[in-house]
Amino acid sequence: MTNQEFSDEFDVLLSSFTKSANFGEQASSHDIVLDEYEKSVFLSKAQEEIVINLYNGKNVFGESFEKTEELRRYLSDIVETVTLSTKIIGLTGLTSTSVFYMLPVDLWFITYESVLLTDSNLGCLNNTRAVVIPVTQDQFYKINRNPFRGPSLRKVLRLDTENDVVELVSNYNIASYLIRYIRRPVPIVLEGLPTELSLNNTTAATECELSPALHRIILDRAVQLAIGSKFSNIKTN
């Protein structure tokens, strides 16, 4: 669906929800009229809601996005894979061997993560991969020294810190950190915005990058948000 189609169908759906006027009132007083920026806000918000719901299984299928091929295709355009090799120096960790990495700025949800272990102590198993397991600080203190649940040849622990920095705890030297993640989708901006306005730091016109199969769902949800916002304001005024 193009931006023009999004805009035109948004107007059509809004008009179909126009509240009937009470006796003695003009019908136009109940019309919902939105400019292109306002429609872009609702479309972008609806898009983000749907991505989050697809990820966590709060959708009509009741399943997370990797359960079926159909759901995987819905979000395939916003799945990214990066390998981080530059460590952040000078931070204090929970262990003397902790290493730190800065996560990508557009990262929303990590779906897979592993590290490449390069350590002479591994012998013939040098340059092997270990999965990364996220843990809370409470969990970490309970399992760090546990030979079965703590870091090992096959497992590295990850703790989240501030400012999108993660702390990795491993028994062996980490050469690189691989992450596959769902990134935040580019907002749907129906037309270029003036300099004083932006959506997620975007001012240029941008089209929906998700699967066309989701466009109608996004549109319907955006209209619902617009109507809910309009009549909520009426009740509070």
Side-chain angles (χ1 to χ4, degrees), residues 59-111:
N59 50 69
V60 295
F61 303 96
E63 298 176 325
S64 64
F65 86 103
E66 289 192 310
K67 278 284 188 174
T68 68
E69 180 67 16
E70 179 182 3
L71 292 175
R72 284 194 294 271
R73 295 282 70 78
Y74 283 162
L75 299 183
S76 61
D77 289 328
I78 57 172
V79 174
E80 305 286 349
T81 303
V82 297
T83 299
L84 307 176
S85 55
T86 302
K87 301 171 185 175
I88 301 176
I89 306 300
L91 297 182
T92 301
L94 298 183
T95 73
S96 59
T97 59
S98 295
V99 294
F100 297 84
Y101 289 92
M102 174 69 72
L103 296 176
V105 294
D106 61 351
L107 183 149
W108 258 17
F109 308 111
I110 296 176
T111 61

Side-chain angles (χ1 to χ4, degrees), residues 130-144:
V131 297
V132 176
I133 306 298
V135 296
T136 66
Q137 291 188 35
D138 287 342
Q139 291 174 324
F140 175 78
Y141 285 116
K142 293 177 182 178
I143 69 176
N144 182 40

